[in-house]
Amino acid sequence: MELERARLLTSRAGRAAVEDADPALALLAPHLLVERLRRAHPVEVAAAVAEQLVLRKACEQRLGQLPLALFSREGLEVMTHPAVAARRARRLAQLGLPHLDLTCGLG
């Protein structure tokens, strides 16, 4: 995610725009999704919110939950499912070895 988009999405107005958007809009074709959001928001906000709606839908389909408020496409693609991460952590703990998760992914 680009820094400017992250700043926009973490601003008060950006957070409100994402939270107020109907998640069902993510099912629309991309041009219709942005067109609908443009009715209420400037183009840069509409594009950012549209991206978040689509990524949130993908996360819900993959995990059945939304563990984070914001996503990046790259982060979602490489995210480890929480059940897999927990299993790996248990296996390391059972070995009695010290372990730390130093990754910077989403999962």
Side-chain angles (χ1 to χ4, degrees):
M1 178 183 303
E2 294 179 14
L3 183 58
E4 286 305 312
R5 182 162 281 190
R7 285 185 176 138
L8 170 68
L9 289 168
T10 57
S11 70
R12 182 175 296 176
R15 287 192 317 263
V18 171
E19 294 305 319
D20 292 344
D22 181 359
L25 292 175
L27 301 173
L28 295 174
H31 70 284
L32 296 175
L33 171 57
V34 174
E35 180 183 305
R36 181 78 63 87
L37 291 169
R38 283 283 321 264
R39 294 177 189 167
H41 305 288
V43 67
E44 61 277 355
V45 174
V49 171
E51 178 184 50
Q52 288 304 304
L53 290 176
V54 170
L55 293 173
R56 284 176 168 214
K57 183 68 174 169
C59 182
E60 277 185 314
Q61 289 173 338
R62 184 172 175 188
L63 303 178
Q65 61 183 358
L66 289 173
L68 301 171
L70 298 175
F71 296 93
S72 69
R73 184 165 309 285
E74 298 83 6
L76 189 59
E77 288 173 0
V78 299
M79 180 173 48
T80 302
H81 192 286
V84 173
R87 180 176 183 269
R88 290 176 182 162
R90 281 192 308 273
R91 288 178 63 201
L92 288 171
Q94 288 171 352
L95 293 173
L97 299 172
H99 57 279
L100 296 168
D101 181 358
L102 300 176
T103 61
C104 58
L106 300 177

